Amino acid sequence: MRAAYIEKLGPADLIRWGELPPPEPGPGEVLVNVLATTVNPVDTFVRSGVYRTPLPFPFVVGRDLVGTVAAAGAGFAAGETVWCNSLGHDGRQGAAAEQVAVPAERLYRLPAGVRPEEAVAVFHPAATAHLALFTHGGLRPGRTVLVGGAGGNVGSALVELAASAGARVLATASPRDHAYVRALGAAEVVDYRADDLARRLAALSPEGVDLHVDTSGRNDLRRPAALLAHRGRIVLLAGVRDEPVLPAGPLYMKDGSLRGFVISHATVAELAAAAAGINERLAAGGLRPRAVEYRPMSAMAHTHRRMERGELRGRRVVLRP
């Protein structure tokens, strides 16, 4: 079996494309023939050691896959098209291989009519967005959400999922992305570089923002704290090396809260709830990737380097065996 793997933590150049023994499914696991995988920022964190997690070596990289069930088992029938977005950490081998043994509790059926190689591009961003909005943000219909960096992969998923849930969505993005973000459901979009950004956002949300989520990783908490409504919440999902000033006064005066999360800590039940929401949107024709490149899985090291150089913002690379 061919796979993209590493034998120790370090730079992207350590990723090899070569032969490994095929996986042998254990109890509760399903053997999947991989159709495609992709690369997420967290994959580079795991490979480099920035995010420390138990890994078996040689370690197959990657979180996400879409594929077909190779042999019936654990409630899945042979030939079913399935997906997973939680491999490649916490002792689990990754997704970038011709075959993968996937725990059945982490495997989901792809809705009929959805193109597998498009869908794999949205699983991780959409799951991150779902967890931010609903698991950690407690979003309910009628609430106001402010999405920073709405033109990116996670940002666009935040906008679409929040709008489809009945929230009023305000967004910041580059002017070239405004039409795209509005088409996803944002009520208002503001240039994130505007000199009067805080004033404009305050004017658009006179009663305050119930939920603030910024994908940029630049977490200046003073502005979102000032914009919060009573009992509003700031959810952090990016900025692994960020150490912003905590605006304690505005937060406690508003009964506000600050919550951070990484998708790697999501429980099986939380991931399953996110998967159900993602499948619902996919079946309805939503959560389509904006820009996708297709490459052979042998290009995994090169794709990791491009991700780390910041060359893939707003784009997804789908890799096939």
Side-chain angles (χ1 to χ4, degrees):
M1 177 197 74
R2 293 177 300 174
Y5 65 93
I6 58 174
E7 295 181 299
K8 63 180 180 179
L9 300 178
D13 291 345
L14 294 176
I15 298 175
R16 300 286 180 259
W17 173 250
E19 296 286 336
L20 288 179
E24 297 182 6
E29 291 186 330
V30 178
L31 186 63
V32 175
N33 294 322
V34 177
L35 296 173
T37 185
T38 186
V39 177
N40 304 290
V42 70
D43 299 330
T44 70
F45 300 158
V46 170
R47 183 218 74 232
S48 66
V50 169
Y51 178 75
R52 292 286 179 166
T53 183
L55 300 179
F57 290 103
F59 169 66
V60 177
V61 300
R63 293 286 178 103
D64 306 352
L65 67 78
V66 63
T68 57
V69 175
F76 288 88
E80 285 191 283
T81 304
V82 291
W83 62 275
C84 176
N85 64 345
S86 58
L87 297 177
H89 68 107
D90 198 25
R92 292 184 292 278
Q93 287 285 3
E98 291 178 319
Q99 283 193 321
V100 177
V102 183
E105 62 186 1
R106 296 177 180 272
L107 194 63
Y108 321 110
R109 293 171 175 87
L110 189 71
V114 178
R115 287 189 60 197
E117 293 176 342
E118 282 191 358
V120 74
V122 303
F123 295 148
H124 201 81
T128 302
H130 191 283
L131 290 165
L133 293 170
F134 305 109
T135 305
H136 299 284
L139 182 64
R140 297 196 297 272
R143 298 299 177 93
T144 298
V145 181
L146 174 56
V147 177
N153 295 312
V154 175
S156 59
L158 284 163
V159 171
E160 181 175 344
L161 291 178
S164 66
R168 176 175 180 255
V169 182
L170 310 179
T172 65
S174 172
R176 68 177 180 270
D177 294 324
H178 284 195
Y180 171 67
V181 174
R182 287 194 182 94
L184 293 172
E188 303 285 350
V189 189
V190 180
D191 184 352
Y192 73 95
R193 295 168 295 189
D195 293 335
D196 59 345
L197 179 61
R199 182 191 62 79
R200 293 175 65 179
L201 291 173
L204 291 171
S205 54
E207 296 183 0
V209 171
D210 300 295
L211 178 59
H212 182 285
V213 188
D214 189 344
T215 68
S216 71
R218 297 182 295 275
N219 296 301
D220 181 351
L221 300 177
R222 290 166 293 189
R223 184 175 64 212
L227 290 170
L228 283 186
H230 177 65
R231 294 193 174 177
R233 176 172 291 183
I234 302 168
V235 172
L236 305 179
L237 53 73
V240 66
R241 296 181 178 89
D242 208 17
E243 296 183 358
V245 173
L246 177 67
L251 283 172
Y252 86 76
M253 290 295 288
K254 294 181 177 182
D255 290 359
S257 63
L258 176 65
R259 187 161 183 171
F261 82 100
V262 294
I263 193 171
S264 300
H265 296 159
T267 67
V268 168
E270 289 168 346
L271 290 170
I278 291 167
N279 275 347
E280 182 178 349
R281 289 301 303 154
L282 287 171
L287 290 177
R288 294 302 189 257
R290 185 179 185 184
V292 179
E293 298 178 23
Y294 295 97
R295 296 285 184 267
M297 204 177 287
S298 58
M300 182 63 71
H302 179 60
T303 306
H304 270 237
R305 287 193 292 269
R306 293 177 66 197
M307 175 70 73
E308 290 176 315
R309 291 195 296 258
E311 297 175 6
L312 298 178
R313 291 189 179 93
R315 301 184 64 80
R316 301 290 278 159
V317 176
V318 172
L319 301 110
R320 299 176 284 202

